[in-house]
Amino acid sequence: MMYAPWCTHCKRLEPIWSHVAQHLHATPIRVGRVDCTRFASVTNTFKIKGFPTILFLKGDQKYVYEGDRTREEIVKFALRLSGPPVQEITKTQSFDIIKKEHDLYFLYVGNRAGALWVNFVNKHAPVDNVPALFVYKENLHYNFTGHNLSDTGQVNETLYKWVNAERFPTFPKVTRGNINQLFLTNKNLVLAVVEENQLEEVAPDMLKFKNMVESVIKTKRNKYHDHFQFGWIGSPNLVNSIAMMTLPIPSLLVINTTTNHHHIPEDEIEKLTPYIIEMFLEQIRNEIFMYFHQRYGGNNWLVRSYRKWFEMKTVLTSMWKGNPLLMMVLLGLPFGFLSLICYGICCPDLLDANDDEDENIGTHHMKND
């Protein structure tokens, strides 16, 4: 971890980082931290642009962690990178262990011989041609298709896009740490917006809404899998920043990750049902939404400017509600400093004018005498 002693975020991460070190103590992974205020050369070498920055160093390779700053996610990141990029499966038992430990994994199938091949074909997925590539999500599999093996460049590009589109579970929790990665799926992102308390618990009425949205993708998986990535989010502030408005809680938001436009159902949230949600998604999928309803957002300079203004207003409002006295001091200092500058500029002219006036009056009296 690259940190600075004065960084508030680094201080918040400190206890979590200690737990990460304890969890990885029995592994070959070494956990450490570097004070970048004392070792400036390290900052320049690794091109550190902010604090804290979590790096995983493996030989000459450097990996920057951009996920959620929780012990579980950081440990998963470290363990995943410490192993081989591709794990070869040679025994049926190894395959069973992978299935048990992972809800989502990618599988490459090559040879057509051996007990492992027979077990795979009979129990998991039919394979017409080899090589073949699958992704397994919650006991369902999806095949990598639409590629030409003779064109290596085209295969690499298509495979990269396919992995990004399939790397998430069916209904993941969306956070600040993974939302940018979800945008790489190039699918429409369907978000059930609820609010968690400090214990990461969801109120019963919001939980009911969240489960209803999840039921749509669970029951219509084949219909929506290629076009939509479903998920839920427990931080309304993050969604409000995207929508550039304060959404009601709970709420439903669909984001086009390619154009950054977003769609909001016109129906009241209490009237939403699985059928109405399906009709809403059908309009988006068939691209008839834009002709009958208004879509919001985008990525032009005007929208980006408005989003920056909205985020700044939201932060200032939150700070004012949390500590109005501190906000008065923070806002008062610049105005006070500006007032002093204006006073210093204007007052000498006024004093000079008064002196000139007094001098003129004195001269006038002398002439009268």
Side-chain angles (χ1 to χ4, degrees):
M1 177 179 71
M2 306 296 180
Y3 77 101
W6 47 262
C7 174
T8 304
H9 298 292
C10 298
K11 294 177 181 178
R12 292 176 182 172
L13 184 61
E14 185 66 30
I16 298 174
W17 193 249
S18 299
H19 291 158
V20 170
Q22 293 174 4
H23 194 91
L24 298 175
H25 177 70
T27 69
I29 303 173
R30 302 277 71 87
V31 180
R33 58 178 187 166
V34 178
D35 183 354
C36 292
T37 61
R38 296 179 57 192
F39 302 97
S41 60
V42 176
T43 306
N44 297 329
T45 301
F46 292 104
K47 299 179 181 179
I48 305 301
K49 298 180 179 180
F51 303 112
T53 297
I54 298 176
L55 299 179
F56 186 91
L57 305 178
K58 187 176 182 180
D60 296 333
Q61 295 179 318
K62 178 187 71 172
Y63 303 91
V64 181
Y65 177 72
E66 297 179 349
D68 293 324
R69 293 170 184 169
T70 62
R71 189 204 67 175
E72 293 77 11
E73 293 300 321
I74 297 175
V75 168
K76 287 181 182 178
F77 170 78
L79 292 175
R80 183 172 67 251
L81 290 180
S82 64
V86 179
Q87 179 180 348
E88 183 179 3
I89 302 174
T90 58
K91 299 179 181 179
T92 303
Q93 293 80 1
S94 301
F95 188 41
D96 293 335
I97 292 174
I98 291 176
K99 287 174 50 185
K100 184 178 180 180
E101 294 181 349
H102 301 279
D103 293 330
L104 189 152
Y105 57 92
F106 293 88
L107 182 67
Y108 170 82
V109 180
N111 297 327
R112 281 180 174 269
L116 185 61
W117 165 263
V118 175
N119 177 69
F120 174 79
V121 173
N122 291 338
K123 293 185 178 180
H124 302 287
V127 180
D128 297 327
N129 299 304
V130 292
L133 183 63
F134 298 88
V135 60
Y136 281 82
K137 296 183 182 182
E138 300 155 5
N139 297 322
L140 295 174
H141 69 275
Y142 302 95
N143 193 8
F144 173 56
T145 58
H147 57 276
N148 182 8
L149 292 178
S150 61
D151 188 346
T152 305
Q154 189 265 343
V155 170
N156 289 338
E157 181 180 356
T158 306
L159 180 59
Y160 176 80
K161 292 180 179 179
W162 181 74
V163 170
N164 275 325
E166 301 293 346
R167 58 183 291 200
F168 292 97
T170 304
F171 197 69
K173 180 180 180 180
V174 181
T175 64
R176 293 185 182 274
N178 65 6
I179 191 168
N180 290 329
Q181 299 299 317
L182 281 162
F183 267 67
L184 296 178
T185 61
N186 288 329
K187 296 181 180 181
N188 289 294
L189 184 57
V190 183
L191 293 178
V193 184
V194 296
E195 187 171 18
E196 292 181 308
N197 58 22
Q198 294 182 349
L199 299 177
E200 297 186 352
E201 297 173 342
V202 180
D205 58 329
M206 297 186 189
L207 185 61
K208 182 179 179 181
F209 175 79
K210 170 178 168 287
N211 293 337
M212 180 186 67
V213 176
E214 184 178 8
S215 69
V216 174
I217 183 59
K218 294 288 187 180
T219 57
K220 305 290 183 178
R221 194 188 306 262
N222 293 332
K223 183 178 182 180
Y224 294 128
H225 171 262
D226 293 335
H227 302 278
F228 296 96
Q229 171 64 57
F230 282 67
W232 68 279
I233 187 166
S235 175
N237 290 336
L238 178 57
V239 177
N240 292 340
S241 176
I242 296 173
M244 296 174 292
M245 60 184 295
T246 302
L247 295 175
I249 304 298
S251 186
L252 183 69
L253 182 72
V254 181
I255 307 170
N256 187 321
T257 58
T258 303
T259 65
N260 287 340
H261 287 97
H262 59 271
H263 309 277
I264 302 172
E266 293 184 350
D267 300 88
E268 296 180 1
I269 203 67
E270 296 81 7
K271 297 181 180 180
L272 286 182
T273 64
Y275 176 76
I276 293 178
I277 293 176
E278 288 181 35
M279 295 297 295
F280 175 63
L281 296 179
E282 280 298 308
Q283 291 176 332
I284 297 175
R285 189 178 70 162
N286 297 328
E287 297 184 350
I288 63 175
F289 193 93
M290 62 185 69
Y291 299 107
F292 297 100
H293 301 274
Q294 184 178 2
R295 62 177 182 176
Y296 307 91
N299 201 31
N300 58 56
W301 68 270
L302 186 61
V303 173
R304 292 197 299 269
S305 301
Y306 182 79
R307 180 173 285 113
K308 292 292 184 183
W309 176 85
F310 180 84
E311 291 175 351
M312 182 179 66
K313 183 187 72 170
T314 302
V315 170
L316 293 177
T317 303
S318 177
M319 292 176 63
W320 175 263
K321 292 180 179 179
N323 196 333
L325 182 60
L326 177 62
M327 278 298 297
M328 291 177 64
V329 173
L330 292 177
L331 294 177
L333 285 176
F335 284 111
F337 185 70
L338 183 62
S339 300
L340 289 175
I341 294 176
C342 294
Y343 180 82
I345 294 174
C346 300
C347 285
D349 295 336
L350 294 175
L351 293 175
D352 292 342
N354 290 333
D355 292 341
D356 293 341
E357 184 178 353
D358 292 340
E359 184 178 350
N360 292 333
I361 293 174
T363 305
H364 179 70
H365 285 303
M366 290 177 63
K367 289 181 178 180
N368 290 336
D369 293 341

